[in-house]
Amino acid sequence: MYDINLLKSDFTELFKKDSESVFFSPGRVNLIGEHTDYNGGNVFPCALTIGTYAVVAKRDDNKVLVHSLNFKELGVIEFSLDNMVYEKEHNWANYPKGVIKTFESHGFNIPNGFEIIFYGNIPNGSGLSSSASLEVLMGTILNESFSLNIDMVDIVKMCQEAENKFIGVNCGIMDQFAIGMGKEGCAILLDCNTLKYSYSKLNLDGYKIVIGNTNKKRGLTDSKYNERRSECEDALDKIQTVKNITALGELTEKEFEEVKDCIGDPIKAKRAKHAVYENQRTLKAVKALKENNLELFGKLMNYSHISLRDDYEVTGIELDTLVELAWETEGVIGSRMTGAGFGGCTVSIVKDECIDNFKQTIAVKYKERIGYEPDFYVVSISDGTRKLG
Ligand code: GLA
């Protein structure tokens, strides 16, 4: 764990006063169930021990002063609780700002301002949800500091709303939910249509979760993401003319095959096929895990990647290379892209004694093909966002 005392002394030096409380919010990795959340399907993510820390003190006035050790060059960013508008030059601080604004719009009173220093050890732009981690962190700070007594699920929903409306990214609820509701050693099976969820203990005896970062520079992720969303919405509209459903996640594979011709557009039909099959695959994977059938779980992870590559078309040469190299490496149970795609990270389940070889051989071959090296993180599963002291 990161040394919080360092953060506290940075706070005292910067704001010339002592901090009052410390918070932590994890990053997340999704094991299976990709691009299903906004299609009313199931996801199976978990919260990580890497994440975002915050040290906080309240002020007597209306000012909010925030600083991030990850963006030191931007200095202290200041805004007032009376003027909560998106400002481009406020950069990363628009995330906490959006959360404060959303809380206020739901009638929660934030009586005074505060100072915060943030520090995150989630690699930036890796697709492990550093932004959702920051949002749920801000929501939890408000909840605890001003005794708002809000349930975590409601904090999660407001953070998603902040991302949708204030930031303008039309994300589903998976990231904020995994981060807020995470549980040590467990993945969460979440039905995004009903928000019913259950925890599954990950019995990975002899295996670990290894995240591979393609290190691809972030490109058109947000616009492509929104495009996939509307392609699925269009497909749903068409299916609704022949079948009474509210989301693609309600269909079995067989039901989809019976109605798919009404979609018309072959691209949109492929997108909808992924959403339906991936949702069913997620349920099968969780069942396999419960039955201690890690082999099958891994195979389903691989099929998930293939569907994201061929039908949903959100992978790209970097993710495909990293995953295909993993498939041919000894000791790998399964490997797939994780998160929104187009870059970012892969998730693999790898046998303990094979991890060193996994990292070394894949790094060399990936560099040969792509031109630069990937990074690897062996991760553990943590509890959700919380006050540390
Ligand atoms: C991003 C979004 C999530 C989800 C994934 C894809 O991480 O924020 O809501 O849609 O992509 O599964």
Side-chain angles (χ1 to χ4, degrees):
M1 194 198 266
Y2 181 73
D3 184 358
I4 290 153
N5 288 325
L6 282 178
L7 221 50
K8 285 186 179 170
S9 57
D10 279 342
F11 187 99
T12 311
E13 199 180 307
L14 184 66
F15 294 118
K16 311 279 177 268
K17 67 195 256 195
D18 285 340
S19 58
E20 293 161 1
S21 43
V22 183
F23 294 81
F24 173 74
S25 187
R28 70 96 187 86
V29 65
N30 188 21
L31 297 179
I32 194 161
E34 216 65 83
H35 288 280
T36 48
D37 61 350
Y38 53 84
N39 283 310
N42 289 273
V43 293
F44 195 52
C46 39
L48 301 172
T49 47
I50 51 173
T52 320
Y53 294 85
V55 284
V56 186
K58 281 187 266 184
R59 293 173 61 91
D60 298 326
D61 58 15
N62 260 348
K63 286 184 184 157
V64 177
L65 275 66
V66 291
H67 179 66
S68 165
L69 298 185
N70 301 83
F71 297 93
K72 276 191 181 154
E73 66 285 2
L74 297 178
V76 174
I77 298 172
E78 183 180 325
F79 51 90
S80 160
L81 290 174
D82 302 326
N83 183 31
M84 302 295 287
V85 290
Y86 185 97
E87 284 172 71
K88 197 163 184 266
E89 59 280 14
H90 282 179
N91 199 287
W92 66 271
N94 283 304
Y95 288 96
K97 204 197 252 186
V99 172
I100 302 168
K101 173 145 192 204
T102 309
F103 271 50
E104 286 184 324
S105 73
H106 281 265
F108 295 105
N109 177 32
I110 312 299
N112 45 270
F114 37 83
E115 289 111 351
I116 310 180
I117 289 189
F118 293 101
Y119 168 70
N121 53 10
I122 305 171
N124 254 333
S126 60
L128 301 175
S129 281
S130 53
S131 52
S133 173
L134 179 57
E135 288 158 1
V136 184
L137 182 58
M138 189 67 238
T140 305
I141 292 170
L142 295 177
N143 191 36
E144 297 273 341
S145 306
F146 302 113
S147 306
L148 302 178
N149 286 319
I150 312 173
D151 272 2
M152 185 52 98
V153 173
D154 289 326
I155 294 179
V156 159
K157 286 186 194 162
M158 286 193 281
C159 289
Q160 183 202 7
E161 186 183 324
E163 174 102 28
N164 291 166
K165 295 194 181 152
F166 198 80
I167 303 295
V169 177
N170 221 355
C171 67
I173 201 162
M174 169 172 74
D175 301 345
Q176 289 81 3
F177 199 99
I179 285 165
M181 300 297 289
K183 189 169 170 169
E184 194 182 335
C186 295
I188 311 171
L189 174 64
L190 170 67
D191 178 337
C192 300
N193 217 6
T194 59
L195 291 194
K196 279 200 186 131
Y197 65 96
S198 57
Y199 294 105
S200 268
K201 198 139 189 57
L202 278 187
N203 293 321
L204 293 181
D205 269 356
Y207 294 86
K208 293 217 162 51
I209 299 174
V210 183
I211 291 175
N213 189 346
T214 59
N215 285 330
K216 182 185 176 185
K217 292 245 162 5
R218 239 183 135 93
L220 289 168
T221 311
D222 294 348
S223 61
K224 287 276 175 202
Y225 182 89
N226 288 345
E227 183 185 291
R228 290 296 177 280
R229 243 195 117 136
S230 52
E231 285 165 344
C232 287
E233 279 159 11
D234 290 350
L236 175 65
D237 278 350
K238 289 275 164 49
I239 296 174
Q240 281 170 332
T241 62
V242 297
K243 198 162 175 76
N244 186 15
I245 54 165
T246 58
L248 293 174
E250 287 168 29
L251 295 175
T252 62
E253 295 102 325
K254 187 166 168 280
E255 285 166 339
F256 175 75
E257 294 301 329
E258 282 160 11
V259 297
K260 70 176 183 198
D261 288 344
C262 75
I263 301 171
D265 180 327
I267 299 277
K268 289 175 186 168
K270 283 210 293 186
R271 308 297 191 240
K273 180 183 177 200
H274 166 79
V276 171
Y277 278 66
E278 177 76 354
N279 179 43
Q280 296 299 326
R281 196 160 30 237
T282 303
L283 296 172
K284 288 176 196 155
V286 176
K287 184 166 174 276
L289 199 67
K290 282 204 178 110
E291 291 163 358
N292 276 322
N293 191 345
L294 205 54
E295 285 288 320
L296 179 56
F297 187 83
K299 277 205 181 101
L300 292 164
M301 286 176 78
N302 299 348
Y303 293 141
S304 163
H305 185 84
I306 292 168
S307 174
L308 288 155
R309 184 188 67 192
D310 299 345
D311 286 336
Y312 220 63
E313 295 180 282
V314 292
T315 57
I317 179 79
E318 299 83 1
L319 283 167
D320 289 337
T321 303
L322 210 48
V323 164
E324 282 155 24
L325 289 172
W327 287 345
E328 44 186 65
T329 303
E330 200 197 332
V332 176
I333 286 283
S335 183
R336 58 181 288 277
M337 60 150 271
T338 183
F342 307 105
C345 286
T346 66
V347 56
S348 308
I349 298 183
V350 189
K351 209 174 196 168
D352 283 341
E353 57 270 30
C354 298
I355 293 176
D356 284 343
N357 173 58
F358 173 92
K359 292 194 219 166
Q360 281 159 17
T361 46
I362 295 181
V364 171
K365 290 184 189 166
Y366 181 86
K367 190 173 177 202
E368 267 167 28
R369 289 187 207 172
I370 303 296
Y372 49 85
E373 290 203 357
D375 282 313
F376 293 104
Y377 327 110
V378 179
V379 293
S380 310
I381 303 176
S382 124
D383 284 325
T385 309
R386 60 201 180 272
K387 187 172 181 179
L388 297 178

